[in-house]
Amino acid sequence: RGATARGRHSTEPVVPAVKATDGSPPGFRTLQLPPSSASAACQEVEQAMQADQWELELQHSFYSSRRGRLRPRAGPEQFPDCFALMRRVEESFGIDDPVIENVQVAVRRYHPLGGQRHLQPHLDDTEMFLEPVLSVILRCDGEGDGLLLWPAGRKPQSGEVFAVPERPGCAVCLQGASRFEFVHSVPPVSDC
């Protein structure tokens, strides 16, 4: 399965931190695009990734920013379907001011056997991703696999873990508290 993440450069929360009535973290939003909307982007990245590659960076290399500068990576010219999908997600969430030069994209692929199976719990680094942070599921193979969020800084209490039901075309937007105060992870994916 793959996910495309994209961050915006901003220093202030875009949404106020208010308690969500559906049990989701404050500032968390999700929407479901038609699964077919993710298929072209999925094919595009599958063709670009090696069989054992778990992550593909687009536009900028995040990891090089820890050394003081971003290195350029392939962008919308080489991955038009990925960037078109992310633009559709931005529009669907009402994000209308993207600066394409500031866009960062990571594609991750998890394998149940013989590869990267999970993503450790973490808060996204604010030097690499500010807000909002967007993600889109391109492919999800296992029933029940998906993203989990819970309050940062402690083990979650009963009822505090929020699971995102994932399927192709599922888009997630982390803003405010959900971006800065909730860790997220992908537990080990299931064997299909």
Side-chain angles (χ1 to χ4, degrees), residues 13-35:
V14 180
V15 297
V18 295
K19 185 170 174 61
T21 58
D22 65 354
S24 64
F28 171 88
R29 294 185 287 161
T30 188
L31 59 87
Q32 181 64 47
L33 297 171

Side-chain angles (χ1 to χ4, degrees), residues 3-78:
T4 305
R6 187 169 168 164
R8 207 54 74 305
H9 294 276
S10 168
T11 56
E12 297 299 317
V14 180
V15 297
V18 295
K19 185 170 174 61
T21 58
D22 65 354
S24 64
F28 171 88
R29 294 185 287 161
T30 188
L31 59 87
Q32 181 64 47
L33 297 171
S36 60
S37 66
S39 62
C42 186
Q43 288 177 9
E44 198 171 66
V45 298
E46 294 270 335
Q47 291 174 358
M49 294 178 82
Q50 302 293 323
D52 61 348
Q53 185 177 357
W54 94 279
E55 185 170 55
L56 174 68
E57 296 176 306
L58 306 181
Q59 192 78 355
H60 302 288
S61 171
F62 312 123
Y63 300 108
S64 65
S65 71
R66 292 188 178 136
R67 292 186 288 278
R69 62 177 162 56
L70 291 174
R71 286 183 298 169
R73 294 285 188 239
E77 300 80 23
Q78 295 91 344

Side-chain angles (χ1 to χ4, degrees), residues 90-125:
E90 289 168 337
E91 289 170 354
S92 297
F93 281 125
I95 300 165
D96 58 3
D97 62 347
V99 177
I100 198 70
E101 293 79 24
N102 293 340
V103 169
Q104 299 174 329
V105 178
V107 179
R108 292 193 180 115
R109 180 169 50 189
Y110 303 96
H111 296 280
L113 300 171
Q116 183 67 28
R117 295 190 63 204
H118 67 285
L119 182 64
Q120 292 287 344
H122 69 284
L123 284 169
D124 285 330
D125 187 317

